[in-house]
Amino acid sequence: MTSKITHIETMLVDIPTIRPHKLSMTSMAVQTMVIVRIKDDQGREGLGEGTTIGGLAYGPESPESIKMNIDTYLAPLLIDQPLHSIKLLIQRLSMSVRGNMIAKSALQTALLDLQGKHLGVPVSTLLGGAIHQHIPCLWVLASGDTDKDITEAKALIASGRHCDFKLKIGSRHVNDDVAHVAAIKAALGDSASVRVDVNQAWDESTATKGMAALQEAGVDLVEQPTPAKEWDALSRLSQKFTIPILADEGVADASDVFQLAQRGFNGGIALKIAKAGGPIEALYAATVSLASGMELYGGTLLEGSIGTAVSIHAWSTLPKLHWGSEMFGPLLLQDDIIKQPLCYHNNGVDVPDAPGLGIEIDEEKLALYRRK
Ligand code: MUC
Ligand code: MG
């Protein structure tokens, strides 16, 4: 029997990070998640999460706007609707509300969880079926200090939890950033893959200089060196160097991927549920990327366990993640609001296989971290 949506609740949840996480545009000491709980008339509940980085430092949606816009505009469009078609429900949302992709992604996640529990299948099955049970996952070094980053990376390699590392750069002069990266690469050696994320901080000429030096230092990948919508510059850079480029902020959805493909971009694409408006749209972006010969990477906006779990379900349905993933968000937080944490081991994370997202809320922890 088809169920009907009866309640939608949102809340802000603040959890401190294990150390400051420094990006080119902000430094994070706490992560704020918008947690969504959708209930149906059969007593089931779906969990969703909408998360961004650094308030409004990273993008146009803040945790507070995500919550407010779900409560005021998006949730009323879903109340009393039947759950039989998630695509029909997300079309209903996109016809009435522009943008607000993170808010839409949070709702889509909760709908998928609810539908999965209703049908007794994991979210990966709703998305076409898992091809992989274990998703490779790197770690991001972003303490801002070269020696601390080397110590952190060596401990993670020794524990077997991660062997690939992404370094956040772009806030200092290009020469200082390159020296920092080169020192870490030299200390970790060839067994570790070292990549950098510039988060749009360079113009094209700085990127030309920086990429040449990073290539020389043995770095494997440069993520979003130039501003998001400068698709021509990114494409020219991708053709100039053998070190590959990963497009991140420049590609939110399938249509952005198409823009890059038309310009001859030959690198990889960071897929993110938050940019695309949900896992279903992130997988549309993956299809255009693969059709254009681009490589794939499972990206994050540093979501907690709920947003991370739904991303892992989505990435598990892709034939190949050429550059693995960065689904480490829960590990950056001092605590979690779910009962059974995601399982990280052997340089990756397991795809949950219980119905829905396969995770359960810890009500005491939620009450502890919920913003009053
Ligand atoms: C980004 O730009 O990739 C992902 C990992 C991280 O540390 O920051 C994010 C955002
Ligand atoms: Mg990035």
Side-chain angles (χ1 to χ4, degrees), residues 42-71:
Q42 296 174 20
R44 291 193 186 86
E45 178 181 73
L47 301 169
E49 177 187 338
T51 297
T52 184
I53 294 171
L56 285 168
Y58 191 90
E61 290 176 270
S62 69
E64 294 76 14
S65 82
I66 294 166
K67 176 175 167 33
M68 175 70 86
N69 290 341
I70 292 176
D71 292 349

Side-chain angles (χ1 to χ4, degrees), residues 293-357:
M294 295 179 198
E295 298 184 329
L296 298 179
Y297 176 67
T300 179
L301 271 195
L302 299 176
E303 290 96 355
S305 290
I306 298 171
T308 299
V310 77
S311 304
I312 292 169
H313 278 282
W315 312 154
S316 78
T317 70
L318 291 166
K320 189 170 176 184
L321 281 175
H322 310 75
W323 290 98
S325 87
E326 57 184 17
M327 308 319 301
F328 68 95
L331 301 173
L332 189 63
L333 305 182
Q334 283 183 19
D335 208 348
D336 209 331
I337 55 161
I338 66 167
K339 280 188 182 161
Q340 195 70 42
L342 292 167
C343 185
Y344 290 87
H345 64 101
N346 289 36
N347 309 310
V349 55
D350 289 342
V351 182
D353 56 8
L357 293 173

